[in-house]
Amino acid sequence: DAKTTQPPSMDCAEGRAANLPCNHSTISGNEYVYWYRQIHSQGPQYIIHGLKNNETNEMASLIITEDRKSSTLILPHATLRDTAVYYCIVDNYGQNFVFGPGTRLSVLP
Amino acid sequence: SAVISQKPSRDICQRGTSLTIQCQVDSQVTMMFWYRQQPGQSLTLIATANQGSEATYESGFVIDKFPISRPNLTFSTLTVSNMSPEDSSIYLCSAQTDRDEKLFFGSGTQLSVL
């Protein structure tokens, strides 16, 4: 079973920030939080990952709570091309990724 | 990073036949994995393809049905044997490089079994 829980779906207006939450209350000390997304009929695309510090790259920001039991993926200016299923995964060095159902993000014009 | 190419990208097969899916990575990788994504579902790990030894299968998946080869550090194959319509899925190859704990995914093979 997946170690994370995510809302099944979210909407976001184009140009606004999309904030996707993830709960991982049983995360262990050496497990990273990974975010991937899957645009229809394509393979999952890596977005970002982190251990305990907040992370930012050209695609998104990852905010991890101090107790590491939850995190939020932020797409700062969502576009229509960001419409996808977003997966939050916790794992130790990617050895056994377990994908949950993810969050289906719809970016609306 | 790693670029992963999968062939074929899609196929339509008859019941009882077998299909071999190829996965080629553009650099040497330590770990390669095979996933299945059934229609409307999330990804499920089938097995870890180990170079130089037998693949490690997850619960519910067996070698006779999904034989895997990993002859070197850049290539793997997954065979779906004696196919039935229930095997209709997207099959995805992924890899992990030495230097990075990220997983990279191929674009998948869309399999339809009639």
Side-chain angles (χ1 to χ4, degrees), chain B:
Chain B
S1 66
V3 177
I4 300 176
S5 302
Q6 265 185 254
K7 289 194 297 186
S9 59
R10 59 177 62 237
D11 208 341
I12 300 172
C13 300
Q14 295 297 318
R15 181 196 299 261
T17 63
S18 298
L19 176 72
T20 296
I21 302 167
Q22 298 180 4
C23 178
Q24 178 73 54
V25 189
D26 69 343
S27 59
Q28 291 187 345
V29 294
T30 50
M31 308 292 287
M32 294 184 74
F33 306 90
W34 287 97
Y35 285 82
R36 181 176 73 181
Q37 188 170 28
Q38 294 177 299
Q41 303 295 312
S42 186
L43 284 76
T44 301
L45 180 64
I46 297 172
T48 302
N50 301 308
Q51 196 266 329
S53 64
E54 214 168 79
T56 305
Y57 289 84
E58 298 299 307
S59 175
F61 298 96
V62 296
I63 188 172
D64 290 346
K65 177 66 176 177
F66 298 101
I68 288 170
S69 77
R70 175 98 189 266
N72 56 50
L73 292 176
T74 65
F75 187 78
S76 179
T77 66
L78 168 75
T79 299
V80 186
S81 302
N82 188 23
M83 288 183 285
S84 67
E86 292 71 34
D87 294 320
S88 297
S89 294
I90 298 173
Y91 292 86
L92 294 138
C93 171
S94 71
Q96 183 180 45
T97 63
D98 277 337
R99 297 184 298 272
D100 201 307
E101 61 269 23
K102 297 193 289 286
L103 280 191
F104 299 93
F105 285 84
S107 54
T109 296
Q110 173 102 47
L111 172 62
S112 298
V113 184
L114 305 179

Side-chain angles (χ1 to χ4, degrees), chain A residues 77-98:
Chain A
H77 305 287
T79 71
L80 299 179
R81 287 178 295 181
D82 292 321
T83 292
V85 178
Y86 287 77
Y87 298 101
C88 169
I89 302 161
V90 296
D91 195 66
N92 180 8
Y93 293 112
Q95 297 293 304
N96 188 17
F97 270 28
V98 176

